[in-house]
Amino acid sequence: MSTDDASAPSDTHAGASRVPAHIAIIMDGNGRWAKARGLPRAAGHERGVEALRRTVEAAGEIGVRYLTVYSFSTENWRRPAAEVNALFGLLRTFIKKDLGRLKKEGVKINVIGRREGLPDDIAMLVEKAERETASNSDFVLNIAFNYGGREEIARAARALSADVASGAVLPSDVTEEVLASYLDTADMPDPDLLVRTSGEYRLSNFLLWQAAYSELVFFDVLWPDFDRAWLEKAVAIYSDRERRFGAVSTGDA
Ligand code: IPE
Ligand code: IPE
Ligand code: MG
């Protein structure tokens, strides 16, 4: 398999186990975590940020290069305004509090999703976080905020059609690679491993294009309780899976 194959494995070998180069996480279950404790849903989201901090640190330490986390979907606008505001507030606080540290630690921050429709101050904070960490390359933290897989693909198709209309791209040149280069994840490997917490078994519009060959792992744990041990468990499960990318098993060829 050539290395420029779109679905070629990108993981690395650390010791005996395979470490995924790119892990994507659907951080779900904050509301149920709070409800179980008689707390408001916002308290669950706050504890969810703590779990995110632990996970970023652990992922870097185990040798993961890209971590993409789903923190607000294009469908989450359907929630009560107070909850939407609380989630926006948490992104603000996270960038304000953690940017300096993440920058020093070599983390490159990237926010994927639709920028239009976000409050101006959030759009500015996001740009600042991206600008100030642009030269980092040790670890990429992709925050999917106001993100929806279908919206991302439609936006990419719109930009690509504009380039076709202007003559910059020929219709016959539109390949998978070209379309992928218009997505928010252009130049990044596809996620090797996609984890969802909270016992729900669906993608909820996350990375629809990029997850074509991701290994899926579902855990019952609620996101605020997620920690390094859960991340290691996901990596161990991943490392026991055989990724075939449509081919036959090694040894059966
Ligand atoms: C995930 O937790 C965070 C977001 C979707 C923003 P939820 O808020 O969805 O928690 P549950 O699924 O209601 O428990
Ligand atoms: C997916 O979780 C979105 C995020 C984790 C940000 P949801 O809780 O919104 O998904 P559904 O509604 O259960 O599918
Ligand atoms: Mg949920």
Side-chain angles (χ1 to χ4, degrees):
M1 191 181 279
S2 74
T3 47
D4 60 3
D5 185 309
S7 55
S10 53
D11 57 11
T12 54
H13 295 257
S17 73
R18 277 159 52 229
V19 175
H22 186 171
I23 300 183
I25 305 185
I26 302 177
M27 310 184 290
D28 197 15
N30 296 348
R32 279 163 281 173
W33 185 94
K35 193 173 180 191
R37 287 160 183 77
L39 297 169
R41 292 178 60 85
H45 296 316
E46 273 170 36
R47 293 296 288 263
V49 177
E50 293 300 320
L52 173 61
R53 290 192 176 101
R54 290 196 288 274
T55 305
V56 171
E57 192 186 341
E61 283 170 14
I62 64 180
V64 171
R65 300 291 311 281
Y66 298 83
L67 179 70
T68 302
V69 293
Y70 205 6
S71 65
F72 188 82
S73 76
T74 47
E75 288 71 38
N76 287 147
W77 288 100
R78 295 174 185 156
R79 297 187 179 201
E83 182 168 349
V84 170
N85 285 334
L87 290 164
F88 284 5
L90 284 178
L91 180 67
R92 281 188 189 98
T93 323
F94 179 73
I95 294 179
K96 286 182 188 159
K97 265 201 191 164
D98 292 52
L99 177 59
R101 182 180 51 84
L102 293 170
K103 189 176 163 180
K104 262 191 244 136
E105 290 172 358
V107 175
K108 178 175 179 156
I109 299 175
N110 225 4
V111 177
I112 63 171
R114 183 170 190 265
R115 290 291 160 91
E116 294 79 39
L118 289 182
D120 287 347
D121 73 302
I122 293 218
M124 277 165 64
L125 271 175
V126 161
E127 275 160 35
K128 175 178 143 100
E130 290 181 337
R131 195 174 54 242
E132 291 193 7
T133 61
S135 59
N136 282 347
S137 54
D138 295 351
F139 184 88
V140 177
L141 173 63
N142 276 325
I143 304 174
F145 197 87
N146 199 20
Y147 177 88
R150 289 184 172 183
E151 192 281 331
E152 180 193 32
I153 293 169
R155 190 157 35 80
R158 207 149 54 233
L160 175 53
S161 341
D163 285 347
V164 168
S166 75
V169 176
L170 293 173
S172 55
D173 287 342
V174 179
T175 58
E176 291 181 26
E177 288 72 24
V178 168
L179 181 52
S181 74
Y182 284 78
L183 296 173
D184 295 343
T185 50
D187 302 326
M188 291 180 210
D190 286 338
D192 303 290
L193 167 64
L194 189 151
V195 178
R196 183 171 189 149
T197 59
S198 91
E200 307 291 353
Y201 303 100
R202 54 178 171 266
L203 291 177
S204 300
N205 205 10
F206 191 41
L207 302 177
L208 296 183
W209 172 284
Q210 298 86 342
Y213 267 101
S214 302
E215 292 297 329
L216 309 181
V217 171
F218 298 95
F219 288 137
D220 283 340
V221 63
L222 301 175
W223 177 251
D225 290 328
F226 197 84
D227 60 10
R228 188 193 181 105
W230 283 102
L231 187 73
E232 285 176 350
K233 192 171 169 183
V235 170
I237 293 170
Y238 167 84
S239 125
D240 277 345
R241 299 255 180 100
E242 186 194 15
R243 302 183 78 188
R244 288 194 286 277
F245 298 100
V248 290
S249 231
T250 335
D252 290 351

